[in-house]
Amino acid sequence: MSTSNSVLGAWNRYRSIPIVYRIGASFALGSIVGLIVGDPATALQPLGDLFVRLLSMIVVPIVIFTLLMGIRGLTPSKLGKIGGEVVGLYLLTSAAAVFFGLAVANLIAPGTRLTLEDGDPETQSPPPLEEVFLGIVPENPIGAMANTEILPTIFFVIVFGLALAMVAETTDSERVAAGVETIFDIAEAGAEAMFKIVWGVMEYGVIGVFALMAAVFAAAGVDAVTTFAVLIATLLLAVALHILVVHLGAIILVLVGQSPAGFLAGAKEALVTALSIRSSSGTLPVTMANADDNFHIDESVYGFSLPLGATINMDGTALYQGVAAIFAANLAGASLTIGEQVTVVAIAVLASIGAAGVPGAGLIMLTLVLTQLGLPLSVVAFVAGVDPILDRLRTMTNISGDLAVTTLVAKWNGAVDFERGSWVGDHSGAPGGVPGDD
Ligand code: ASP
């Protein structure tokens, strides 16, 4: 009896620690174990993959439910306004990110002391632009959903949601009108259920993240970390500056008029998940749960802006293209003119839009940037070994950008409650406290 009581007590104490700290600790511990144990720790990979799969499992349903629920109260013109603001800000912040990448890389000059090793460049090439645009319209919506193609899924759900709203307005049949309401109600209930699943999956994340980090550091080893230390440090400094100046300073503090600490506290689960699984799409359920439970943003904004952001808004990925371009030029003993660096901004923004929110997408996009600049493609193969580390920093920055822009657009459209949640220091939305019922 007393043993079971003390076990229960320990479990309750464990559960009372906010989930993000538990995951943070396993992140650090897993990294250390991976570095010390080395190769055998790669055996833990399946435990980490399970975490990623559990999150991936809910990406499509959570996008469909929240988007449908958000559209319920929107007119096409309001949706157009929100969409325009979101896309405009996404482009602006990505361009600013490349600027930070270039500026810091020019200053630190990574790659000047390394010699390029020969290696086969990645053979995967980025998709042509017209294919990206055409791909937004699904040939078969169920196929798009089945393959977790976010953009075509968003497109179909928006068209379907707007059509449902029109049907409700114009129909003479009570039965049909009630049917429309039922579909929206189902979306609302479905979204709530998905958020419950997200927080449940995060509990497993404590084990999953430990395994992921142990496996990645076991595979990369100390060598990769030391060889590329300057490159890692350059990226780290540049993303830190970008998050500090653009996301926290310009957007949250100045334009939104809220505390950056409140923003970070509300986004912490999504940021830690992005660091751990290095996929914007995989992190999407957690990003949405943070927007809903911690930031109290309305689905009409985040239901659209976050899935879109996970696909097209990648500040960290864009920034990395700037850093990597300078790194590649230094390795090749060349230097980029100001004109070429301006070109990098344009190509890097396009590359980040085209990159999928999956691990390593930014590395593939580097092929595009280096080709345009006439720099050696073998750099891609050279840095591939350290990319699992760089990718984490990129993905975390991508998620921070999605949430910052979403908060600003929500403020502009009166779709966020600043009197609740992390804005006022209440973190009951996330587990470790009393789960919110919002
Ligand atoms: N892994 C990043 C993401 O999912 C993309 C990249 O490789 O930069 O956001």
Side-chain angles (χ1 to χ4, degrees):
M1 179 77 183
S2 70
T3 322
S4 74
N5 268 350
S6 61
V7 169
L8 198 68
W11 173 247
N12 284 339
R13 270 199 304 283
Y14 166 79
R15 287 287 312 266
S16 70
I17 303 169
I19 185 72
V20 73
Y21 297 137
R22 286 182 271 147
I23 291 189
S26 64
F27 185 98
L29 221 64
S31 312
I32 296 167
V33 168
L35 281 174
I36 295 174
V37 176
D39 219 30
T42 52
L44 291 170
Q45 187 68 39
L47 288 177
D49 291 343
L50 177 60
F51 178 50
V52 179
R53 284 186 86 105
L54 284 166
L55 283 173
S56 307
M57 173 181 85
I58 40 184
V59 170
V60 170
I62 210 167
V63 168
I64 296 172
F65 287 140
T66 51
L67 192 52
L68 208 49
M69 188 178 157
I71 286 175
R72 185 176 214 167
L74 285 184
T75 57
S77 68
K78 179 95 189 191
L79 186 68
K81 176 177 178 283
I82 292 176
E85 289 168 356
V86 167
V87 172
L89 283 170
Y90 279 167
L91 288 175
L92 264 179
T93 48
S94 297
V98 191
F99 169 80
F100 277 102
L102 286 170
V104 174
N106 275 312
L107 207 76
I108 298 187
T112 35
R113 286 194 204 147
L114 291 176
T115 12
L116 190 55
E117 282 167 16
D118 278 339
D120 286 333
E122 296 268 314
T123 44
Q124 254 173 307
S125 55
L129 208 60
E130 70 265 19
E131 215 172 275
V132 174
F133 279 111
L134 272 179
I136 294 175
V137 181
E139 278 180 350
N140 172 353
I142 306 293
M145 292 168 196
N147 294 317
T148 320
E149 293 164 8
I150 303 287
L151 282 186
T153 301
I154 296 179
F155 183 85
F156 176 74
V157 176
I158 287 180
V159 171
F160 178 57
L162 290 176
L164 276 177
M166 281 165 69
V167 167
E169 253 176 44
T170 51
T171 183
D172 294 329
S173 154
E174 270 179 31
R175 216 166 38 81
V176 172
V180 170
E181 287 308 302
T182 307
I183 294 179
F184 283 129
D185 286 346
I186 288 173
E188 195 163 342
E192 290 301 325
M194 288 304 140
F195 288 134
K196 292 266 183 276
I197 299 177
V198 172
W199 294 123
V201 171
M202 291 302 275
E203 289 295 330
Y204 174 72
V206 179
I207 298 169
V209 167
F210 176 89
L212 280 175
M213 296 316 294
V216 76
F217 276 104
V222 186
D223 273 1
V225 179
T226 49
T227 309
F228 292 100
V230 182
L231 180 63
I232 298 173
T234 309
L235 183 64
L236 187 63
L237 184 64
V239 297
L241 272 176
H242 178 68
I243 292 176
L244 205 70
V245 176
V246 177
H247 299 166
L248 298 179
I251 298 185
I252 297 300
L253 189 67
V254 178
L255 295 171
V256 175
Q258 290 292 324
S259 122
F263 175 78
L264 285 178
K268 60 189 181 314
E269 289 88 7
L271 297 180
V272 169
T273 307
L275 261 182
S276 311
I277 72 170
R278 59 194 182 94
S279 158
S280 294
S281 298
T283 307
L284 191 52
V286 189
T287 321
M288 288 183 140
N290 277 170
D292 195 274
D293 289 335
N294 296 354
F295 290 147
H296 297 279
I297 294 175
D298 203 78
E299 300 79 19
S300 59
V301 173
Y302 82 72
F304 165 73
S305 67
L306 290 179
L308 189 72
T311 333
I312 70 159
N313 182 48
M314 300 194 181
D315 289 11
T317 306
L319 182 153
Y320 177 66
Q321 309 300 321
V323 170
I326 304 281
F327 178 74
N330 288 340
L331 276 177
S335 64
L336 297 179
T337 62
I338 295 291
E340 280 169 326
Q341 298 202 23
V342 173
T343 321
V344 173
V345 177
I347 312 166
V349 171
L350 281 178
S352 71
I353 293 173
V358 297
L363 185 69
I364 294 168
M365 284 300 164
L366 188 55
T367 322
L368 183 88
V369 177
L370 296 180
T371 311
Q372 294 290 323
L373 294 169
L375 289 168
L377 280 183
S378 46
V379 171
V380 176
F382 185 50
V383 293
V386 79
D387 197 64
I389 294 166
L390 303 171
D391 195 4
R392 281 164 218 284
L393 299 173
R394 299 199 297 261
T395 313
M396 183 192 66
T397 313
N398 295 347
I399 297 297
S400 165
D402 295 345
L403 278 170
V405 167
T406 297
T407 307
L408 180 55
V409 174
K411 181 198 154 105
W412 283 344
N413 290 280
V416 48
D417 186 353
F418 289 121
E419 304 298 316
R420 299 171 70 194
S422 344
W423 305 118
V424 290
D426 170 14
H427 308 302
S428 58
V434 184
D437 61 353
D438 186 2

